[in-house]
DNA sequence: ATTGAATATTCCTTGACAAGAATATTCTCA
DNA sequence: TGAGAATATTCTTGTCAAGGAATATTCAAT
């Protein structure tokens, strides 16, 4: 995950990923769309590739880069732990509220036992 | 998103977020668990806070840090676009395969018209 | 084989940021 | 109000990574 976040923690690379969301593209096209120089595009793609976020499919002297679905699934399952974490926090909160209601009821009954068998 | 990724692109901060997944913690406890010095913990928490990933709840002279659910929801909706993107890629692939089958059938029928009305 | 197109790599400089040390701030309690 | 605990900030230093320029590599076509 660390490598993934490091790879995405750059504006150019975030733009590249957004571009590739639409369609696989060659290095030259990416450089053109982002208005950066070709070597920078290559370097960013190298970083993204090392992090497993993109894969390359050579086509003659071109190299077509595409998003790698697995890495996004990995990111999703990382995030899943947090989704569950928040759910559990809400559950705990619910229990606390339940307990508060039960306690309030008990206190009422202790104060006025007639309420116990309404 | 860029700020979020930048905040998560550090091993200590990634650990802090993982810690807070279990329960909100004070600065001192976080520093202790991560075996880093208190000022570093404060600085990392500052970064996470600036990125909106955590929120603070003062308790006497302690400051209890907790994950901020909204930022993870934002991350989730960012990721959602990519989930959809891959779905569409598969759909396109399915259509291509369908077309291939249709074409194969047509070619068969053109080669042997008797197959057209089985 | 040679040329040209597309891409990758290297070297260099510079800016950003993390860690460490010291200090400042904030809050509680006696 | 003074002391101490918990946390935040500042300053410095060292490291890493991005951008630019130049060059190397790879591949197709003639």
């Amino acid at each position: 995950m660390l490598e993934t976040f490091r790879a995405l923690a750059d504006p150019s690379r975030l733009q590249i990923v957004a571009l590739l969301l639409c369609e696989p593209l060659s290095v030259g096209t990416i450089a053109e769309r982002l208005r950066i120089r070709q070597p920078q595009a290559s370097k960013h793609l190298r970083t993204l590739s090392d992090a497993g976020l993109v894969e390359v499919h050579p086509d003659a002297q071109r190299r077509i880069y595409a998003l790698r679905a697995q890495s996004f699934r990995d990111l999703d399952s990382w995030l899943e732990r947090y989704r569950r974490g928040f759910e559990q926090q809400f559950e705990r909160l619910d229990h606390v509220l339940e307990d508060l209601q039960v306690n309030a009821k008990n206190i009422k009954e202790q104060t006025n036992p007639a309420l116990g068998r309404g």
Side-chain angles (χ1 to χ4, degrees), chain A:
Chain A
M1 271 312 103
L2 185 59
E3 280 307 303
T4 300
F5 289 131
R6 291 175 69 87
L8 294 173
D10 176 277
S12 296
R13 288 195 292 267
L14 213 47
Q15 283 187 271
I16 290 178
V17 171
L19 267 186
L20 296 183
L21 176 57
C22 303
E23 54 178 343
L25 293 173
S26 72
V27 178
T29 306
I30 293 172
E32 197 177 324
R33 300 265 179 95
L34 263 59
R35 297 162 186 258
I36 62 180
R37 306 186 187 283
Q38 174 267 320
Q40 322 300 339
S42 278
K43 281 188 275 192
H44 284 310
L45 287 164
R46 166 80 176 194
T47 302
L48 289 170
S49 178
D50 286 347
L53 282 161
V54 303
E55 58 194 7
V56 58
H57 301 282
D59 169 44
Q61 67 271 72
R62 291 215 172 88
R63 312 197 82 208
I64 307 299
Y65 282 87
L67 294 185
R68 204 171 137 271
Q70 184 58 47
S71 65
F72 287 84
R73 279 193 287 266
D74 293 344
L75 184 53
D76 190 53
S77 60
W78 179 87
L79 195 54
E80 176 66 14
R81 294 178 49 217
Y82 291 85
R83 281 192 285 259
R84 291 190 185 282
F86 289 117
E87 276 177 23
Q88 288 179 3
Q89 284 183 19
F90 283 122
E91 282 175 26
R92 282 195 286 269
L93 183 60
D94 284 346
H95 293 156
V96 170
L97 294 179
E98 272 178 33
D99 289 349
L100 283 178
Q101 287 184 335
V102 170
N103 288 339
K105 193 180 168 199
N106 289 344
I107 289 173
K108 268 193 184 174
E109 291 175 5
Q110 285 159 16
T111 306
N112 183 354
L115 294 172
R117 295 134 295 171

